[in-house]
Amino acid sequence: MSEEQWCLSRETLRDQCLKLQEFRTKVASWYCSHGRDFPWRHADTSYQRVIGELLLQRTRARVVAGFYLDFLAEYPSWESLSRANEKDLQGLLRNVGLWRRRARSLIDLASAVMDTGGQLPDTRAELEKLPGIGQYMASAVLVLCYGEREPLLDVNMARVLERVFGPRQRADIRYDPYLQDLARSVVQVDNAVEANWAVLDLAAGICTIAHPKCHECPLVCLCSFASQAT
DNA sequence: AATTCGGGGTC
DNA sequence: GACCCAGAATT
């Protein structure tokens, strides 16, 4: 590698690092004044946090906000959920979609948790053995319940990251090392939970899939997508 | 890698 | 009326 090439690649790496830091600080600052508030963000048990994430799968946050507290009132613990009547649970989820599969999945997970002492494991390998816990949910449990700096890398966070930092390598987000590493580095901060929420809120309110509000976006000067969109 | 689950919101 | 949503299991 010539000295010129070396300088170029070194410069590019430094730029990427600076871009990452700028991304973090600008999103965090935006979040302070524009962040959303949801009941599950005030959850005070692991159970409540995990239920929030499970209900949010393929379901809009505002819809979940409408019945999340009712769900917790009806099923306040792993123990009560494991003993739930499947038909009753289906009825509670009926107007949310995925109701049959989700009712079964919730009961199965609660039963599995009760079988292992009523507590969730704290490693990815053990978490992903549980029914209904995949790559995303394992990360969610690690960051929300155990304070590890893991990303809530869903389709929305992926969209923001790809617009700013470039496209993924694989079709499936969960097995794309580029996106996974990028997302993980984004949340290497003191409060990883809020860092995750900040990106998700930006994705939901500004960096939307259709008609993104680039003129309101704190990342507009970092983002290659913004310049080509209006 | 592609399909399935799913009602409701959004355009 | 098509498309999408804080995914995971199945094929």
Side-chain angles (χ1 to χ4, degrees):
Chain A
M1 183 184 286
S2 73
E3 187 175 339
E4 192 177 348
Q5 284 174 320
W6 183 83
C7 285
L8 182 63
S9 104
R10 182 170 172 280
E11 196 64 22
T12 304
L13 275 175
R14 203 170 68 95
D15 285 349
Q16 285 297 90
C17 187
L18 289 173
K19 191 171 178 179
L20 191 58
Q21 289 183 340
E22 203 171 346
F23 180 96
R24 287 198 199 100
T25 58
K26 289 192 167 177
V27 174
S29 171
W30 177 87
Y31 174 75
C32 286
S33 49
H34 297 84
R36 298 178 295 176
D37 189 26
F38 292 115
W40 50 87
R41 294 188 177 181
H42 303 286
D44 45 32
T45 68
S46 291
Y47 171 76
Q48 295 171 357
R49 297 188 182 103
V50 173
I51 291 300
E53 292 301 320
L54 289 171
L55 297 179
L56 283 162
Q57 289 179 2
R58 306 295 297 167
T59 310
R60 291 174 193 281
R62 213 170 52 222
V63 175
V64 177
F67 73 103
Y68 174 72
L69 293 178
D70 293 334
F71 185 100
L72 290 183
E74 194 71 25
Y75 306 103
S77 63
W78 290 119
E79 202 274 334
S80 61
L81 184 58
S82 70
R83 291 187 293 98
N85 177 283
E86 189 166 355
K87 291 294 180 189
D88 291 345
L89 186 50
Q90 286 180 356
L92 192 53
L93 302 170
R94 182 87 52 165
N95 55 358
V96 183
L98 302 175
W99 48 277
R100 241 182 328 231
R101 177 174 298 196
R102 187 135 49 179
R104 187 66 261 162
S105 172
L106 284 165
I107 294 174
D108 288 346
L109 176 60
S111 302
V113 172
M114 290 309 293
D115 287 345
T116 59
Q119 189 136 7
L120 287 163
D122 59 358
T123 65
R124 173 177 300 279
E126 291 299 315
L127 284 166
E128 290 188 358
K129 288 180 186 172
L130 293 172
I133 303 291
Q135 196 276 338
Y136 173 92
M137 278 300 305
S139 293
V141 172
L142 290 174
V143 66
L144 296 176
C145 303
Y146 295 107
E148 295 191 25
R149 294 172 177 174
E150 289 288 310
L152 298 176
L153 178 56
D154 67 334
V155 290
N156 299 299
M157 183 180 292
R159 180 176 60 254
V160 176
L161 295 180
E162 291 187 86
R163 284 176 175 173
V164 175
F165 295 100
R168 69 186 73 176
Q169 298 168 344
R170 305 210 186 159
D172 195 325
I173 294 167
R174 293 171 292 181
Y175 307 113
D176 186 316
Y178 164 74
L179 275 183
Q180 291 291 338
D181 291 347
L182 183 56
R184 188 164 288 104
S185 62
V186 164
V187 299
Q188 298 308 305
V189 296
D190 285 344
N191 194 331
V193 174
E194 288 201 354
N196 273 295
W197 289 341
V199 179
L200 291 177
D201 289 355
L202 187 76
I206 304 291
C207 195
T208 50
I209 183 164
H211 313 299
K213 300 174 182 170
C214 299
H215 56 287
E216 299 178 28
C217 184
L219 302 175
V220 64
C221 60
L222 294 180
C223 185
S224 53
F225 184 83
S227 55
Q228 71 187 51
T230 27

